Amino acid sequence: MKIKTSHYIINELADFKHYKPLRALFQYKEFLNLLSYNHQQMISKLFIKNDTLIILVKHHIAYMELNHDNTKKMIKNLIKNYTLAKPMSNFAKVKNIKILSDKNFTAQKNTTKQRLQNHLELSSGNFINSIQDPILHQKFEELRVLIKNVRK
C-alpha cells in the first residue's frame, strides 16, 4: 500500500463537488505563483467573477503598474498558457481582466515596539544568603565575592 501525502489527499478532496471553492482557491494561488515576484507582492487578492478575472491590488501605484498595457498582455498570455496546461480550470472562461484597488487592504506596517533601554542597577553584593543546601550556599558566596571584585 502506497502512503499518500497531504498534498495528494487535499487534491483528491478538491475534486469532490462540495469542495469546488477549495479547488478554485488552489487555482488562484497556482496562477498567482506564475506571476513575477514583484507583481505577486502588489496583489492582495484575485478571483474570477462571471468571465472576468478581477485582480485587487494593495496600492494605487500597483494599480498603475498592473493596468499598463504590456502587463495586461503578459497576464493574458499567462492565462492562455495556464488554460492550455489545465483546460478544466476556472481560467478557461476568462475573457476580461479588471484591476482594482483594494480599499479594504491594510498594510502591515512594521510596528515593532521601540525597546526602552534598560539600565540595570548593578548589584553591590549585599544580599542575604539563606539557602540551606551547602553546595548552593557556597556558589552564592562565590558569586558575592565576584560581584564585589567587579565593583572595585
Side-chain angles (χ1 to χ4, degrees):
M1 177 177 226
K2 184 180 175 185
I3 296 176
K4 297 178 181 178
T5 63
S6 60
H7 183 69
Y8 176 80
I9 293 170
I10 291 171
N11 283 328
E12 287 290 313
L13 288 174
D15 287 338
F16 291 125
K17 189 174 186 177
H18 58 281
Y19 286 117
K20 192 173 183 180
L22 180 65
R23 185 170 2 136
L25 290 175
F26 284 146
Q27 290 173 3
Y28 297 152
K29 184 177 180 182
E30 196 173 47
F31 181 77
L32 186 63
N33 287 336
L34 294 176
L35 295 171
S36 70
Y37 178 76
N38 291 334
H39 288 142
Q40 288 178 28
Q41 297 303 310
M42 294 178 193
I43 297 172
S44 65
K45 294 177 192 167
L46 63 92
F47 57 94
I48 297 171
K49 186 171 185 180
N50 299 331
D51 61 348
T52 305
L53 173 65
I54 299 173
I55 300 174
L56 298 178
V57 294
K58 299 177 182 178
H59 199 267
H60 68 278
I61 295 173
Y63 170 81
M64 291 177 0
E65 168 66 27
L66 289 175
N67 216 14
H68 195 271
D69 288 340
N70 289 338
T71 309
K72 275 192 167 181
K73 285 179 187 176
M74 186 260 313
I75 293 172
K76 286 180 181 178
N77 285 334
L78 277 177
I79 292 172
K80 183 179 170 185
N81 291 335
Y82 187 80
T83 55
L84 287 175
K86 298 193 176 192
M88 298 302 291
S89 72
N90 291 348
F91 287 92
K93 61 184 179 181
V94 171
K95 294 178 185 160
N96 303 315
I97 298 173
K98 276 192 181 178
I99 299 170
L100 305 170
S101 236
D102 190 359
K103 294 178 181 170
N104 296 326
F105 178 77
T106 54
Q108 297 175 351
K109 297 178 182 173
N110 292 340
T111 55
T112 56
K113 295 179 181 176
Q114 226 177 8
R115 286 189 173 183
L116 298 176
Q117 289 189 358
N118 295 335
H119 298 293
L120 298 175
E121 185 177 324
L122 298 177
S123 177
S124 60
N126 297 331
F127 54 85
I128 299 171
N129 189 354
S130 59
I131 298 177
Q132 302 298 324
D133 185 17
I135 297 172
L136 281 177
H137 184 81
Q138 180 60 36
K139 293 289 181 185
F140 273 97
E141 290 304 319
E142 291 172 7
L143 184 61
R144 181 193 315 266
V145 171
L146 288 173
I147 291 171
K148 285 189 176 188
N149 287 341
V150 170
R151 296 286 287 173
K152 291 181 181 177

